[in-house]
Amino acid sequence: MAGEMPLWEKPVTYGAIGGTKAADLLTYPPKGFRPIERRRRIGHGENRFAWASAQTMSWGIQRLSGFTVDVVDAPAAVTDQTYVPVSFDDDGRPVESVAAETGAGEDTFGGDGTSFLIPGDTATLTIRFLGIPVTAPVRVVYVIDEPNRKGFAYGTLRGHPESGEEAFVVERTDDGSVWLTISAFSRPSAWYWWVLSIPLRIAQEQYTRRYLKVLAGPTD
């Protein structure tokens, strides 16, 4: 449509940006939204962590789960102003990101040459809902880049069946185990999606289960 705002310029469709970081998300979600959190052990060791992290940071979870991912190009003036937020450990001490430690431009591509995600990246995901392809535009709202935690969250854009945020975080624990945690809060984005809220919720659960399986497979 002539004159329509480019996707990379459109705002997310909810207000609680970064809400998936909250430790009490399940107890106190943003008002009107349904929260979920799922966690699964996906393997062990450095190779598993490196592979799962690279997949996560290059839309690999979505692609391996059957989504089509169409990345939207944004002007450099937009992406150059993005950043990796400061995270904190259990004692409240700031954890410097690996990007800050190693220098900009290093370790920014996956094994297939796909650029790692940064805040501001925008994409249109295509999923199947009740057998029909449905487009779901999203924007990366934050990334996590710590020595033992890697991941990102995206927020929904106009045209997505749901409104809300979903985070995908790969973590390596002290014993070498590698875990994937998915956190989200959402609600149907329009009246016609509210009518289909029950099958929409079922589809969300199905895709979440698929997410938790795909990084437990072969790493080659």
Side-chain angles (χ1 to χ4, degrees):
M1 182 182 297
E4 183 176 0
M5 182 185 295
L7 189 62
W8 62 265
E9 286 188 334
K10 294 181 179 179
V12 295
T13 56
Y14 64 103
I17 298 173
T20 49
K21 290 183 178 181
D24 57 358
L25 173 65
L26 295 181
T27 305
Y28 300 106
K31 186 176 180 179
F33 290 82
R34 185 179 70 92
I36 67 167
E37 184 175 282
R38 305 287 186 268
R39 180 175 169 86
R40 177 175 176 170
R41 185 179 184 274
I42 58 173
H44 183 277
E46 175 62 29
N47 186 54
R48 173 65 60 181
F49 179 68
W51 180 82
S53 299
Q55 289 293 330
T56 299
M57 297 304 294
S58 56
W59 299 111
I61 293 177
Q62 289 72 28
R63 290 191 171 100
L64 291 171
S65 297
F67 286 63
T68 299
V69 181
D70 294 314
V71 178
V72 176
D73 289 332
V78 175
T79 56
D80 286 350
Q81 296 180 32
T82 60
Y83 64 97
V84 178
V86 175
S87 299
F88 299 87
D89 63 19
D90 292 339
D91 297 321
R93 293 187 295 265
V95 177
E96 189 174 21
S97 72
V98 171
E101 294 170 356
T102 59
E106 296 183 17
D107 299 325
T108 56
F109 295 91
D112 62 355
T114 303
S115 298
F116 282 174
L117 297 171
I118 58 174
D121 281 350
T122 301
T124 296
L125 312 180
T126 302
I127 61 176
R128 299 196 70 84
F129 178 69
L130 301 178
I132 301 171
V134 175
T135 57
V138 298
R139 174 166 302 122
V140 177
V141 294
Y142 68 80
V143 300
I144 296 171
D145 187 8
E146 301 171 10
N148 292 305
R149 293 177 74 237
K150 309 282 185 181
F152 76 100
Y154 62 58
T156 57
L157 301 176
R158 189 176 66 192
H160 196 293
E162 295 183 301
S163 177
E165 186 176 292
E166 189 161 22
F168 307 82
V169 180
V170 175
E171 179 183 8
R172 176 174 50 191
T173 56
D174 291 342
D175 67 354
S177 295
V178 182
W179 298 78
L180 172 63
T181 301
I182 297 173
S183 306
F185 58 87
S186 64
R187 65 186 180 192
S189 61
W191 68 265
Y192 44 87
W193 290 117
W194 277 103
V195 172
L196 296 169
S197 61
I198 293 178
L200 191 62
R201 182 178 299 184
I202 292 171
Q204 183 187 42
E205 291 289 347
Q206 290 175 336
Y207 277 110
T208 299
R209 287 196 295 270
R210 192 176 298 180
Y211 294 154
L212 291 170
K213 292 179 180 178
V214 294
L215 294 188
T219 61
D220 54 5

